[in-house]
């Protein structure tokens, strides 16, 4: 099973619909069991004006930064 960090690394491709089926299923299984990740994905999905190009340009650093802060706050490990 994916850790939260691994799940988030797949998120850009997932939101683009470009994730291979096996990885997509694994990510969805993680999201099914991980409330913090669900909240994070929901936030991204609901962001108005979020387009593929913006996502590609902004995801790696912005998402990594915000997610690591987010996970530090929400997970004990
Ligand atoms: Zn998670």
């Amino acid at each position: 099973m994916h850790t939260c960090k691994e799940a988030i690394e797949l998120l850009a491709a997932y939101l683009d619909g470009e994730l291979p089926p096996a990885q997509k299923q694994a990510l969805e299984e993680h999201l099914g069991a991980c409330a913090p990740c669900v909240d994070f994905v929901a936030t991204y999905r609901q962001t108005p004006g979020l387009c593929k190009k913006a996502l590609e340009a902004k995801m790696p650093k912005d998402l990594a930064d915000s997610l690591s802060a987010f996970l530090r706050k929400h997970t004990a490990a």
Side-chain angles (χ1 to χ4, degrees), residues 10-48:
L10 297 177
L11 203 57
Y14 176 73
L15 293 175
D16 278 352
E18 290 176 355
L19 211 56
Q23 285 186 301
K24 183 169 184 278
Q25 186 181 1
L27 179 57
E28 285 174 346
E29 282 175 10
H30 179 94
L31 294 176
C34 184
C37 281
V38 170
D39 289 347
F40 197 78
V41 172
T43 300
Y44 263 82
R45 279 184 165 156
Q46 288 164 13
T47 303

Side-chain angles (χ1 to χ4, degrees), residues 4 8 34-44 62-76:
C4 288
I8 296 310
C34 184
C37 281
V38 170
D39 289 347
F40 197 78
V41 172
T43 300
Y44 263 82
D62 286 2
L63 184 59
D65 288 353
S66 56
L67 189 77
S68 51
F70 180 83
L71 291 178
R72 257 195 300 276
K73 244 169 78 173
H74 288 89
T75 63

